[in-house]
Amino acid sequence: MKKILTTPIKDEDLESLNIGDVVYLTGTLVTCRDVAHRRLIELGRELPVNLEGGAIFHAGPIVRQKENGEYEMVSIGPTTSMRMEKFEKEFIQRTGVKLIVGKGGMGPETQEGCKENKAVHAIFPGGCAVLAATQVEKIEAAEWTDLGMPETLWVNRVKEFGPLIISIDTKGKNLIEENKAVFNEKKKPILERINAQVRFIK
């Protein structure tokens, strides 16, 4: 059965999720990346959107303004989540956000933030930016437009947005870090065999 999270997301909606699970999002998804994080954490500026129980997307979308003044999503691909690692734990604490979506994994600070505050991080597959735009039903608002298109807080109404792969769950488990450990163990004997045959490789 397809697991669909609907905003506002509650703690109990996330408790049964484990790393590696695939979910979809229906409701409100706000693009929020580097500068927005810095404005909140470093500059102490309140966000112009309420993220309590909400979802953010580390993304730099391409948006077109229509003749009637409304905005239309053209492309919305994820940006590297690890860039927000230094901010994300405090961001989760201060905003009450429950779902963070981006590209690649995040680190120990975000793990702690997700565990302490019952939130999750999920990976959106790279290379699917145009597909993602088709899952945006409407851009409902644009905040902090002075930051330019990629950094603007685009408030999107989405339906079954995904697939989203849970990479950090509410228990603090981290899919990418666990996979790295497994891959490194598998790599050791392979490198030893190669090194025995091709001695200049270190």
Side-chain angles (χ1 to χ4, degrees):
M1 177 185 288
K2 182 183 282 190
K3 172 68 174 178
I4 300 173
L5 297 174
T6 303
T7 58
I9 300 167
K10 302 179 179 63
D11 289 358
E12 52 266 34
D13 297 331
L14 303 177
E15 288 170 352
S16 64
L17 294 179
N18 296 299
I19 54 174
D21 287 352
V22 175
V23 300
Y24 295 80
L25 177 71
T26 292
T28 302
L29 177 63
V30 182
T31 61
C32 184
R33 46 185 276 169
D34 305 61
V35 180
H37 281 70
R38 284 201 294 271
R39 277 189 172 182
L40 176 69
I41 306 304
E42 294 181 345
L43 302 180
R45 293 183 59 176
E46 290 301 314
L47 292 177
V49 294
N50 180 11
L51 293 177
E52 187 76 36
I56 62 170
F57 192 14
H58 297 154
I62 297 173
V63 177
R64 174 170 53 219
Q65 190 167 24
K66 299 188 286 187
E67 290 184 3
N68 63 4
E70 293 183 355
Y71 294 104
E72 178 182 27
M73 190 62 68
V74 177
S75 172
I76 181 169
T79 195
T80 303
S81 284
M82 191 58 80
R83 293 213 311 268
M84 272 57 75
E85 171 67 11
K86 63 185 282 190
F87 305 116
E88 210 67 82
K89 180 180 178 180
E90 186 175 349
F91 188 95
I92 295 168
Q93 291 169 341
R94 291 182 58 177
T95 64
V97 68
K98 290 297 177 185
L99 173 64
I100 300 150
V101 181
K103 181 170 68 177
M106 298 194 77
E109 288 292 309
T110 303
Q111 281 177 245
E112 286 184 22
C114 286
K115 186 175 182 179
E116 292 172 4
N117 301 279
K118 299 296 183 192
V120 297
H121 177 269
I123 297 169
F124 183 84
C128 299
V130 175
L131 171 65
T134 67
Q135 298 167 346
V136 175
E137 292 187 317
K138 182 180 176 62
I139 297 176
E140 297 184 325
E143 304 289 350
W144 284 351
T145 55
D146 60 298
L147 298 179
M149 186 183 296
E151 296 282 354
T152 291
L153 298 174
W154 299 100
V155 182
N156 306 282
R157 186 174 71 227
V158 299
K159 183 174 182 180
E160 297 189 14
F161 185 88
L164 309 174
I165 305 163
I166 301 298
S167 68
I168 298 175
D169 59 26
T170 58
K171 306 160 195 72
K173 296 190 75 178
N174 189 322
L175 178 66
I176 301 300
E177 292 305 312
E178 290 189 12
N179 281 347
K180 278 182 186 177
V182 172
F183 297 154
N184 285 334
E185 279 302 309
K186 291 181 177 179
K187 185 174 69 175
K188 287 178 183 177
I190 296 171
L191 284 177
E192 287 172 3
R193 289 203 308 270
I194 294 173
N195 288 339
Q197 298 173 48
V198 187
R199 289 186 172 81
F200 60 82
I201 294 179
K202 300 293 183 185

